[in-house]
Amino acid sequence: KFVGQQRLSGGPAYSVVSFPLLVALAIYTARGHFVNHIECFCSLVDRGDLYLWKWLYSLFSNLADKGERGMAPQNAEEEDECLSGAQLVAKALKMQKVEYIFGIVGIPVTEIAIAAQASGIKYVGMRNEQSASYAASAVGYLTGRPGVCLVVSGPGLVHALAGMANANMNCWPLIVIGGSSDRNQETMGAFQEFPQVETCRLYSKFSARPSSLEAIPAVIEKAVRSSIYGRPGACYVDIPGDFVNQQVNKSAVRYVECCPAPPISMAEELAVSKAASFIAHSRKPLLIIGKGAAYAHAEDSIRKLVDQCGLPFLPTPMGKGVVPDNHPCCVAAARSRALQSADVIILLGARLNWILHFGLPPRFRPDVKIIQVDICAEELGNNVRPAAALLGDIKAVTEQLLEHLNRKLWKYPSGTEWWSELQAKMKSNEETSKVLMISLDLFKKMNASGNKVVFLNPSSPCFFL
């Protein structure tokens, strides 16, 4: 319009003053808008100026053609964007809400650690892969989302197997990502070549190598999901060295959304009713709180069950803190007596393994009725057949039990013979402990003064100078 006005007023058709307008028009045209407006623009000039305007028209049209092919649809540029395998791994972990990676970088996983940090994941460098795997599994247990252990091939992965096996047996969510030799070098004696996928199957719930770069997000999502669904555990993802820097078109990758939290399952109502009946008719009930209860964040419902029903409870080492040890119903100070004499035991997320003497005599009564609550069906009935098996989330099943017991208006009386027996044993054990502490303190003082101390009996606190 500006140049046209100049022409109508008798001024030059291609004044220098009009060049800012031409540049703006060129940019606008190059983005694929209003190409035909240049033709209208050229019609404003006379024949003497036609050659110049044809040249400008040709220039702008070429820019417009390029814009239509590439610049105009801005999404096309994104579609042509390429990502490396390392970036894909990092992005997939970020989409699955992984927050921490522990590991030792080296060939071929250094780029994965760099990409993870660039995506906002916290990377913690360790001195040993075993420590890294233990740290990652601890994060998984505390947060409910798996920590990641990043290791190099061969010996790097072998060192991490200790933490992987520990996480799998102790039911802690963990993802181990191991670099491995290039695919075209398999069986040729590649650098630190080792059958990693096959080895990790012995120590994990899931072990796999993505078949292609495009498959990386799906494999990582499955590893994360497997690590937290059902009984938590370890999972392994193998990344070949040639995958790390290989490029793939972003549009060719099928991204997988973050897997949801594990589904909450409830026990069968008939089994819950049966368990509640056993508890209501028990003479010497005992509640054992295990690690599964802590992992399920069932502290509120279990505390409510203890308070409303007055049940004596015993925490396992990993179940401590679900209900405080200073709670009046805690009988940890009379642990052996409680286990040996209880006629009905409710196991909340605790396994009858060596910690609980496998649930067998003489540590347990031969006729004890076990009510077992667990998230894992395979665990129900291990070592001792339960009188009632409740399969489901610890928190949800505890609330089911509480509901049934409230319907019966049942509460275990505080003045029973069972409570008197437990309280007497706790008092006796506390007095014995005080004597031992006094003796130990006296022993330290005498030993510090240079006196020779001789024990009359190795199992007795009695000694003489």
Side-chain angles (χ1 to χ4, degrees), residues 225-341:
R225 177 161 40 87
S226 299
S227 72
I228 61 177
Y229 276 36
R231 172 182 282 180
C235 293
Y236 175 70
V237 178
D238 191 77
I239 303 296
D242 55 316
F243 271 16
V244 175
N245 291 312
Q246 185 177 336
Q247 300 286 317
V248 63
N249 194 301
K250 188 177 180 180
S251 61
V253 180
R254 184 178 66 88
Y255 293 100
V256 183
E257 293 182 0
C258 180
C259 66
I264 303 299
S265 57
M266 303 177 71
E268 294 180 343
E269 281 296 321
L270 185 61
V272 176
S273 178
K274 184 179 179 181
S277 179
F278 282 134
I279 296 171
H281 291 89
S282 63
R283 297 179 61 250
K284 296 182 176 183
L286 178 65
L287 182 68
I288 298 180
I289 303 172
K291 175 177 57 186
Y295 184 78
H297 297 287
E299 54 272 8
D300 291 339
S301 57
I302 294 177
R303 178 72 178 265
K304 196 173 181 180
L305 177 67
V306 170
D307 289 340
Q308 291 190 13
C309 297
L311 289 169
F313 75 89
L314 179 69
T316 65
M318 289 295 291
K320 283 183 173 293
V322 175
V323 181
D325 281 0
N326 59 2
H327 192 282
C329 290
C330 180
V331 295
R335 181 182 188 274
S336 295
R337 179 62 60 86
L339 294 177
Q340 288 175 339
S341 303

Side-chain angles (χ1 to χ4, degrees), residues 257-420:
E257 293 182 0
C258 180
C259 66
I264 303 299
S265 57
M266 303 177 71
E268 294 180 343
E269 281 296 321
L270 185 61
V272 176
S273 178
K274 184 179 179 181
S277 179
F278 282 134
I279 296 171
H281 291 89
S282 63
R283 297 179 61 250
K284 296 182 176 183
L286 178 65
L287 182 68
I288 298 180
I289 303 172
K291 175 177 57 186
Y295 184 78
H297 297 287
E299 54 272 8
D300 291 339
S301 57
I302 294 177
R303 178 72 178 265
K304 196 173 181 180
L305 177 67
V306 170
D307 289 340
Q308 291 190 13
C309 297
L311 289 169
F313 75 89
L314 179 69
T316 65
M318 289 295 291
K320 283 183 173 293
V322 175
V323 181
D325 281 0
N326 59 2
H327 192 282
C329 290
C330 180
V331 295
R335 181 182 188 274
S336 295
R337 179 62 60 86
L339 294 177
Q340 288 175 339
S341 303
D343 62 349
V344 173
I345 292 179
I346 307 104
L347 286 175
L348 293 180
R351 290 181 283 185
L352 290 175
N353 55 15
W354 66 275
I355 293 178
L356 291 175
H357 316 287
F358 310 103
L360 300 174
R363 297 289 188 150
F364 287 73
R365 286 174 49 157
D367 60 344
V368 63
K369 291 182 174 64
I370 301 291
I371 298 171
Q372 192 170 8
V373 183
D374 206 283
I375 193 67
C376 178
E378 290 80 3
E379 188 62 37
L380 300 174
N382 269 358
N383 299 322
V384 176
R385 183 177 294 276
L390 308 182
L391 176 64
D393 177 77
I394 305 298
K395 181 179 179 181
V397 175
T398 301
E399 292 171 353
Q400 285 181 280
L401 276 173
L402 188 59
E403 182 181 352
H404 277 260
L405 292 172
N406 285 339
R407 289 178 194 167
K408 299 175 182 290
L409 301 176
W410 181 84
K411 181 175 182 177
Y412 188 68
S414 58
T416 62
E417 181 182 347
W418 176 228
W419 264 121
S420 299

Side-chain angles (χ1 to χ4, degrees), residues 18 25 44 78 90 112 173 175 190 203 206 249 270 340 419 459:
S18 67
L25 182 61
L44 295 175
E78 296 179 1
I112 296 177
I175 304 294
Y203 308 102
F206 173 77
N249 194 301
L270 185 61
Q340 288 175 339
W419 264 121
S459 61

Side-chain angles (χ1 to χ4, degrees), residues 99-105 113 116-117 121-126 150:
E99 296 184 11
Y100 294 93
I101 295 180
F102 300 82
I104 299 178
V105 295
Q117 287 179 304
I121 299 174
K122 301 177 183 67
Y123 176 82
V124 182
M126 307 293 283
L150 181 66

Side-chain angles (χ1 to χ4, degrees), residues 8 26 30 51 77 110 128 165 169 172 174 206 215-216 287 323 348 354 361 366 369 430 441 447 464:
L8 292 175
Y51 178 81
E77 184 177 344
T110 302
N128 183 272
M169 296 304 296
W172 293 1
L174 167 68
F206 173 77
I216 286 176
L287 182 68
V323 181
L348 293 180
W354 66 275
K369 291 182 174 64
E430 288 172 2
D441 185 56
N447 193 45
F464 67 91

Side-chain angles (χ1 to χ4, degrees), residues 84-86 88-90 92-93 112 175-184 186 196-198 201 206-224 235-244 246 248 253-254 256:
S84 68
L88 273 177
V89 172
L93 291 173
I112 296 177
I175 304 294
V176 176
I177 296 178
S180 61
S181 54
D182 293 2
R183 291 169 298 165
N184 62 352
E186 288 184 356
Q196 299 181 178
V197 175
E198 294 80 3
R201 287 198 178 107
F206 173 77
S207 178
R209 168 191 282 188
S211 59
S212 63
L213 289 181
E214 293 85 350
I216 286 176
V219 172
I220 287 181
E221 186 275 340
K222 185 170 183 179
V224 171
C235 293
Y236 175 70
V237 178
D238 191 77
I239 303 296
D242 55 316
F243 271 16
V244 175
Q246 185 177 336
V248 63
V253 180
R254 184 178 66 88
V256 183

